[in-house]
Amino acid sequence: MLQLNVNDQRHEVAMADDTPLLWVLRDGLKLTGTKYSCGIAVCGSCVVLVDGKPVRSCVTPASAVSGKNITTIEGLSSDNSHAVQQAWIEAQVPQCGYCQSGQILTAVALLERNPRPTEAEIEEAMSEVLCRCGTYPRIRIAVNKAAQLAAAKHKEA
């Protein structure tokens, strides 16, 4: 029995320890926002946050993240109120949308560790997730906008 902390909830899932986290999330917990694409940790569509760091869930055994805090796109916010989600909507980033959960969670991790990234830092971090539609210019705009929104919210608090 796997015990995982996903989106601030403790779950017990009857799956083998070596099952990739992606399949535990999608099949075991029915959290389908995390996508399967390449299956070899190249594309980044399967990114989730583990203790705040982006992790390729398609190659990460679920047992390796037991006891850690896992955040999927479903756990970011229930109402799209997170600054990155707001910026994504405002910049109209998605085309097909398939990579977007990986893109958004990668951007969240970037802004958590660096609230005011340079263009080069954004480019480097976001290059880890491939977008088949080529929405990279809008992704950069949205990351910059999310940094501004987060800074504004921080000033209000």
Side-chain angles (χ1 to χ4, degrees), residues 2 15-26 56-63:
L2 289 168
M15 297 181 94
D17 287 355
D18 62 348
T19 303
L21 177 59
L22 172 69
W23 300 116
V24 172
L25 295 170
R26 290 183 60 81
R56 307 295 171 107
S57 65
C58 71
V59 295
T60 302
S63 60

Side-chain angles (χ1 to χ4, degrees), residues 1 5 7 13-14 16 19 37 47 52-54 57 65 75 79 84 107 123 129-130 135 139 148 155:
M1 191 67 83
N5 300 319
N7 300 332
V13 184
T19 303
S37 186
V47 165
K53 295 185 173 86
S57 65
V65 295
D79 61 357
V84 174
E123 185 77 29
V129 184
L130 302 178
T135 62
I139 289 169
Q148 292 168 359
K155 283 182 182 178

Side-chain angles (χ1 to χ4, degrees), residues 37-84:
S37 186
C38 71
I40 56 172
V42 172
C43 73
S45 291
C46 68
V47 165
V48 297
L49 301 180
V50 176
D51 289 340
K53 295 185 173 86
V55 169
R56 307 295 171 107
S57 65
C58 71
V59 295
T60 302
S63 60
V65 295
S66 181
K68 298 180 180 183
N69 294 313
I70 302 161
T71 303
T72 68
I73 193 68
E74 294 91 345
L76 199 53
S77 79
S78 61
D79 61 357
N80 293 327
S81 61
H82 191 282
V84 174

Side-chain angles (χ1 to χ4, degrees), residues 76-126:
L76 199 53
S77 79
S78 61
D79 61 357
N80 293 327
S81 61
H82 191 282
V84 174
Q85 290 171 313
Q86 290 177 349
W88 240 249
I89 293 165
E90 188 174 314
Q92 299 180 359
V93 174
Q95 281 188 18
C96 82
Y98 201 80
C99 69
Q100 295 307 300
S101 61
Q103 297 281 3
I104 288 169
L105 291 171
T106 299
V108 167
L110 167 64
L111 294 173
E112 282 293 318
R113 73 176 179 272
N114 183 356
R116 291 183 181 87
T118 65
E119 290 299 318
E121 291 166 332
I122 292 170
E123 185 77 29
E124 181 181 343
M126 300 312 295

